[in-house]
Amino acid sequence: MNKILTELENRRAVARMGGGQRRIDAQHAKGKLTARERIDLLLDDGSFEEFDMFKAHRCVDFGMQDQQHPGDGVVTGWGTINGRMVYVYSQDFTVFGGSLSETHAEKICKIMDMAMQNGAPVIGLNDSGGARIQEGVASLAGYAEVFQRNVLASGVVPQISVIMGPCAGGAVYSPAMTDFIFMVKDTSYMFVTGPDVVKTVTNEVVTAEELGGASTHTKKSSVADAAFENDVEALTEVRRLVDFLPLNNQSKSPTRPFFDSPTRVEDSLDTLIPDNPNQPYDMKELILKLADEGDFYEIQEDFAKNILTGFIRIEGTTVGVVANQPTVLAGVLDIDSSRKAARFVRFCDAFEIPILTLVDVPGFLPGTSQEYGGVIKHGAKLLFAYGEATVPKVTVITRKAYGGAYDVMSSKHLRGDFNYAWPSAEIAVMGAKGATEIIHRQDLGDAEKIAAHTKDYEDRFANPFVAAEKGFIDEVIMPRNTRRRIARAFASLRGKQQANPWKKHDNIPL
Ligand code: HXC
């Protein structure tokens, strides 16, 4: 018996070595951790249960039968993050560059199937040279099996991708279908075709970093949701995100102890809005003051900064926040901000996370570049997302809510449950100056008359009361009491039940 036990230990030791010490050293020399070290950091101590440690590839071409590494380049299994179950796969770059073979794919598919069956998130740590070149179409088939599961799992369990090395070719499409993508600065990149192919086809000379590094994908393409300094920080932040999320679409977000009174009064909010309506202020300050313990997990911080998206907790429970940011482009809605916010709203709705919307929006950005770029369709995405969302929706208008953007930003008409406004709110079809220049065009040459008309329009519409008189605003609230008001609102909505008409699925303007 002892001999068999020793044999098991020996086999495990071989599997744990992946592609061998030389390649592990090379991985470390690049500033990257190994697949197993990453899992150790991601999961609670000692919680990892591995599957398929000895699984081997079946390829016999190109001398592959003589090159076997137990586990075949990916470590899979489940464990816990702060006591809550997650499934994880971690590609091992030391084995054939983490490339995906048929059996490697089978291992990933197995934990994805189990995650769906048992209702727990899937976290993929990606570090791979793409399809295992020696396996040809078997490897492509393996990718497609993973893709199919990504699609079926979407909206059922949260899926998180961390890009911790190369991610090229079709390999980018599995992360692309997951809910969140995180990258590690300087060591990870994602692209459909690498710099060499780009050079051949388009004659562009570009580095891998410029083409698909963390900066490109968090600031330009918006493919990635955040970038971190190194593996350790990335994995720590994934743990922090998982703490905000429900395990699946049938379970509620976790509620955790909080040490911040829901009735906390924030006097400073009474003076947050500057006297000059054109002067910006930082909406993030409001979010931090409303959140339990000032904790805000921002998503896509570096993209479309004119809108803020992310998670906070109110009374210990997760709330998704969407907020116009007046410090960037006056908080205007445009193509990028509409897309960013729409995707976030849909994630929250899919996983029953209530949504807080903070509104200070001068409208949609005008111009040819926006129209040619399809702002009509992209803006409609956000409109559609709010309109279909059935989760509790609480809206606070702090200042401007002009035009179509008023409608879009979780207005009463899109089934907002609580629509509050601060006394500084201005709810109108457009700003007073623009409105006057249209409806009093005949007086345009007379500055005095125009000033009088503008004042008249401001007096009539630059306030929340016209909307409140119509019941479109439920209550005009004191800024300092906002945390208490929204906490009570969300508490009252805990039992909310709302359904949309039966359909196979909707046809959101993509
Ligand atoms: C098999 C691979 C491999 C692959 C790397 N290796 N990629 N083995 N299939 N796709 C092996 C290398 O032979 C090497 O083995 C080890 O992994 C490390 O690779 P290096 O090149 O030494 O590392 P590095 O210099 O860091 O470069 C990493 C890399 C490069 C940029 C990923 O290896 C590379 O360009 N690989 C090919 C990428 C590629 O074209 N993949 C196919 C994409 S098409 P040894 O034994 O020396 O350690 C695709 C289609 C999917 O994915 C479509 C799905 C729909």
Side-chain angles (χ1 to χ4, degrees):
M1 181 69 180
N2 269 351
K3 199 163 160 249
I4 306 172
L5 298 183
T6 311
E7 157 89 12
L8 173 61
E9 280 309 328
N10 289 344
R11 279 178 175 259
R12 283 181 173 171
V14 170
R16 287 196 190 104
M17 284 305 286
Q21 194 59 48
R22 181 178 58 82
R23 292 192 182 93
I24 292 174
D25 292 343
Q27 178 86 346
H28 286 157
K30 288 182 198 151
K32 293 160 64 182
L33 298 174
T34 65
R36 287 175 188 280
E37 288 165 344
R38 287 168 176 165
I39 287 179
D40 282 349
L41 281 174
L42 177 68
L43 300 178
D44 296 340
D45 276 353
S47 71
F48 183 51
E49 297 282 348
E50 187 166 348
F51 289 121
D52 294 332
M53 191 183 212
F54 305 118
K55 187 146 182 160
H57 70 73
R58 297 185 281 263
C59 182
V60 290
D61 294 316
F62 306 104
M64 285 294 279
Q65 65 277 19
D66 302 325
Q67 299 181 56
Q68 280 291 357
H69 299 280
D72 202 25
V74 64
V75 183
T76 59
W78 69 276
T80 58
I81 291 181
N82 288 323
R84 300 165 71 235
M85 185 163 77
V86 296
Y87 287 83
V88 60
Y89 73 83
S90 179
Q91 291 179 313
D92 184 350
F93 191 78
T94 70
V95 176
F96 305 118
S99 58
L100 184 134
S101 67
E102 187 179 24
T103 45
H104 178 127
E106 284 169 2
K107 287 182 66 171
I108 295 175
C109 290
K110 183 189 273 190
I111 60 120
M112 291 184 79
D113 290 342
M114 296 200 72
M116 292 270 283
Q117 177 189 291
N118 301 325
V122 180
I123 301 172
L125 309 182
N126 296 267
D127 189 358
S128 165
R132 175 93 43 93
I133 292 166
Q134 296 88 335
E135 292 208 6
V137 70
S139 160
L140 300 184
Y143 267 124
E145 294 285 342
V146 176
F147 298 157
Q148 179 65 67
R149 283 163 178 80
N150 287 131
V151 174
L152 296 179
S154 182
V156 179
V157 294
Q159 301 181 80
I160 299 171
S161 301
V162 195
I163 314 301
M164 311 188 85
C167 191
V172 294
Y173 282 109
S174 171
M177 288 191 286
T178 62
D179 297 304
F180 299 104
I181 300 181
F182 299 119
M183 296 183 75
V184 181
K185 290 180 190 167
D186 303 324
T187 51
S188 73
Y189 48 86
M190 303 174 76
F191 33 66
V192 174
T193 52
D196 295 344
V197 178
V198 170
K199 169 94 179 53
T200 313
V201 178
T202 71
N203 221 12
E204 288 171 289
V205 178
V206 66
T207 64
E209 184 60 32
E210 287 163 349
L211 187 62
S215 172
T216 298
H217 286 313
T218 50
K219 295 182 181 150
K220 286 194 185 138
S221 74
S222 83
V223 164
D225 295 291
F228 301 108
E229 292 302 324
N230 51 47
D231 286 12
V232 178
E233 192 190 8
L235 296 165
T236 309
E237 288 297 317
V238 171
R239 285 179 62 89
R240 205 176 136 226
L241 174 63
V242 169
D243 281 351
F244 280 97
L245 305 182
L247 295 181
N248 57 61
N249 63 354
Q250 304 285 324
S251 70
K252 293 268 178 202
S253 298
T255 297
R256 68 176 204 184
F258 57 97
F259 306 95
D260 191 354
S261 168
T263 61
R264 171 165 50 79
V265 173
E266 276 290 346
D267 288 326
S268 62
L269 292 182
D270 286 353
T271 52
L272 181 68
I273 305 295
D275 290 336
N276 176 351
N278 296 321
Q279 194 179 323
Y281 60 93
D282 188 358
M283 188 64 98
K284 222 179 257 190
E285 187 180 330
L286 174 57
I287 296 173
L288 296 177
K289 285 180 173 161
L290 297 180
D292 285 1
E293 291 119 24
D295 188 14
F296 176 42
Y297 194 102
E298 194 167 349
I299 299 291
Q300 298 224 335
E301 184 175 4
D302 292 326
F303 183 75
K305 293 181 177 192
N306 40 332
I307 206 152
L308 300 162
T309 54
F311 300 106
I312 61 171
R313 292 186 187 84
I314 300 280
E315 294 196 79
T317 303
T318 307
V319 169
V321 181
V322 178
N324 309 114
Q325 172 56 292
T327 59
V328 180
L329 292 171
V332 77
L333 283 182
D334 58 3
I335 292 171
D336 290 346
S337 59
S338 300
R339 277 179 41 228
K340 168 178 166 181
R343 181 158 169 80
F344 183 76
V345 166
R346 296 194 97 215
F347 175 82
C348 291
D349 190 48
F351 289 99
E352 288 299 326
I353 296 172
I355 299 169
L356 171 66
T357 304
L358 304 174
V359 185
D360 187 349
V361 62
F364 277 98
L365 183 63
T368 49
S369 78
Q370 289 289 309
E371 296 293 353
Y372 296 169
V375 67
I376 296 172
K377 272 227 161 135
H378 295 293
K381 289 179 175 143
L382 185 55
L383 181 57
F384 200 111
Y386 270 123
E388 74 176 345
T390 56
V391 288
K393 292 188 280 194
V394 175
T395 306
V396 181
I397 300 175
T398 58
R399 190 166 61 175
K400 295 169 194 163
Y402 290 166
Y406 155 75
D407 280 341
V408 170
M409 295 299 293
S410 200
S411 63
K412 188 50 109 192
H413 327 286
L414 298 182
R415 302 188 293 182
D417 294 297
F418 282 77
N419 290 77
Y420 287 141
W422 284 3
S424 46
E426 303 167 22
I427 304 167
V429 174
M430 59 172 71
K433 190 163 170 292
T436 304
E437 285 171 5
I438 293 172
I439 54 181
H440 298 290
R441 188 170 291 155
Q442 73 283 4
D443 294 333
L444 271 182
D446 187 334
E448 246 177 54
K449 271 192 181 166
I450 286 290
H453 289 315
T454 305
K455 168 95 180 47
D456 191 34
Y457 191 89
E458 272 170 9
D459 289 347
R460 174 109 185 86
F461 289 114
N463 64 64
F465 299 108
V466 178
E469 281 163 18
K470 295 184 188 301
F472 302 158
I473 292 297
D474 297 301
E475 178 76 304
V476 182
I477 62 171
M478 289 300 231
R480 74 177 91 110
N481 293 331
T482 307
R483 179 169 152 87
R484 176 170 64 81
R485 302 301 292 248
I486 62 171
R488 296 205 72 198
F490 281 122
S492 78
L493 293 167
R494 276 188 198 133
K496 178 180 177 185
Q497 300 223 318
Q498 188 171 46
N500 291 329
W502 186 91
K503 54 183 93 172
K504 188 170 176 192
H505 59 70
D506 57 41
N507 190 15
I508 189 167
L510 291 174

